Amino acid sequence: MCGIVGYVGRKPVLDILLDGLEQLEYRGYDSSGIAVKCSDEIKVYKAEGKLSNLREELAPHAYELAKSTIGIGHIRWATHGAPTVINAHPHTCNCGRLVIVHNGIIENFKEIKKELEAKGCVFKSQTDTEAVAHLIADIYGQVKDLTKAVRLATDKIQGAYALCIMHNDEKDKLVVTKRNAPLVIGIGEGEFYVASDVPAIIKHTKRAIYLTDNQIATLTPDTIKLENEKGDEINPKVEILP
């Protein structure tokens, strides 16, 4: 089933991501990875097998990642492509400035991939997710707004998905959306959490928003903006978790 976690706020993000992924291990997985923004650069770390392998991969970098306060993480159960490091999430665009994690299946990824390869995109993995990374990045290059780029990209996507996206040019911002896949946003004080399921966030907050299909949420440490598929802003419904 895979699992997504995300965080934007003021706390060190590394332990939040790893602990969140640990709470989602029950969903089953064969690889894992995280992406964190360090000053003006997004760094991606991945590993095959158990989450402990990712922790070992990260151990030499713990000091340099300690100040990062925004990031996304993923545990993957292989569908498109073998359970390798190159196929593990997060995936990036060619320049590495946009990074994405995804649960679900993109049914028309081959058509999207063919179109993007004609524009010069070079694909590294066998996954359907990488096509979404390149697609959003391509649109972002035209509109220079991550939320709008995600909305326009999802108009072209067929299938089921929960997406969490960061871009290096959009300071302290996560954009998340879903269709036919679960995604919940946890609300803290000056922080937001994103997860595929409540266990990943329950120790941090009991206030949450369950996204409905085609809604897009833009998160910064102090703000949440929720829109429908047309770009109209809507008031989020906050629920109290048991």
Side-chain angles (χ1 to χ4, degrees):
M1 288 191 293
C2 306
I4 285 173
V5 296
Y7 175 81
V8 57
R10 296 179 175 85
K11 297 175 184 173
V13 72
L14 185 58
D15 287 342
I16 292 172
L17 295 180
L18 291 173
D19 180 72
L21 292 177
E22 188 175 303
Q23 304 310 313
L24 298 177
E25 284 186 298
Y26 73 91
R27 299 173 70 88
Y29 68 104
D30 45 41
S31 62
S32 60
I34 68 166
V36 298
K37 190 170 182 181
C38 300
S39 61
D40 61 349
E41 181 183 6
I42 292 176
K43 297 188 176 182
V44 178
Y45 303 88
K46 308 180 186 183
E48 294 179 34
K50 294 298 183 182
L51 195 55
S52 58
N53 295 339
L54 179 61
R55 290 183 182 275
E56 290 180 7
E57 177 74 19
L58 287 163
H61 309 283
Y63 179 78
E64 64 181 302
L65 300 180
K67 293 183 179 180
S68 177
T69 58
I70 178 172
I72 58 179
H74 190 270
I75 51 174
R76 175 180 186 252
W77 187 261
T79 51
H80 294 93
T84 62
V85 168
I86 203 164
N87 286 331
H89 298 218
H91 287 283
T92 70
C93 62
N94 284 151
C95 70
R97 300 183 72 79
L98 181 142
V99 63
I100 187 172
V101 289
H102 162 230
N103 286 352
I105 295 176
I106 306 302
E107 296 172 357
N108 63 332
F109 84 96
K110 290 182 180 179
E111 293 85 350
I112 294 172
K113 180 177 180 179
K114 184 177 180 180
E115 178 182 330
L116 292 168
E117 284 179 328
K119 292 184 175 184
C121 290
V122 177
F123 283 72
K124 301 175 184 177
S125 76
Q126 301 168 301
T127 67
D128 54 341
T129 304
E130 189 182 0
V132 182
H134 290 301
L135 177 61
I136 297 173
D138 180 65
I139 296 172
Y140 183 86
Q142 304 166 43
V143 302
K144 302 300 182 183
D145 180 278
L146 186 57
T147 306
K148 185 175 182 179
V150 170
R151 185 173 68 251
L152 293 173
T154 53
D155 285 343
K156 298 175 177 287
I157 295 171
Q158 298 171 13
Y161 56 78
L163 305 173
C164 188
I165 308 107
M166 289 193 305
H167 196 289
N168 200 58
D169 295 349
E170 303 263 354
K171 181 176 173 59
D172 296 332
K173 181 183 291 184
L174 296 180
V175 176
V176 300
T177 188
K178 58 146 284 183
R179 183 190 298 162
N180 299 321
L183 200 64
V184 60
I185 298 171
I187 305 169
E189 296 295 329
E191 60 187 2
F192 290 93
Y193 301 82
V194 179
S196 300
D197 201 359
V198 169
I201 65 172
I202 192 65
K203 69 168 59 176
H204 303 290
T205 181
K206 289 196 172 184
R207 300 173 65 227
I209 298 167
Y210 289 91
L211 289 190
T212 60
D213 284 353
N214 303 313
Q215 289 183 336
I216 301 173
T218 304
L219 309 172
T220 71
D222 297 307
T223 64
I224 176 171
K225 182 179 181 182
L226 191 62
E227 303 175 10
N228 61 21
E229 64 270 28
K230 296 179 181 179
D232 300 324
E233 190 167 354
I234 53 181
N235 293 323
K237 180 183 178 182
V238 180
E239 300 188 26
I240 305 301
L241 302 173

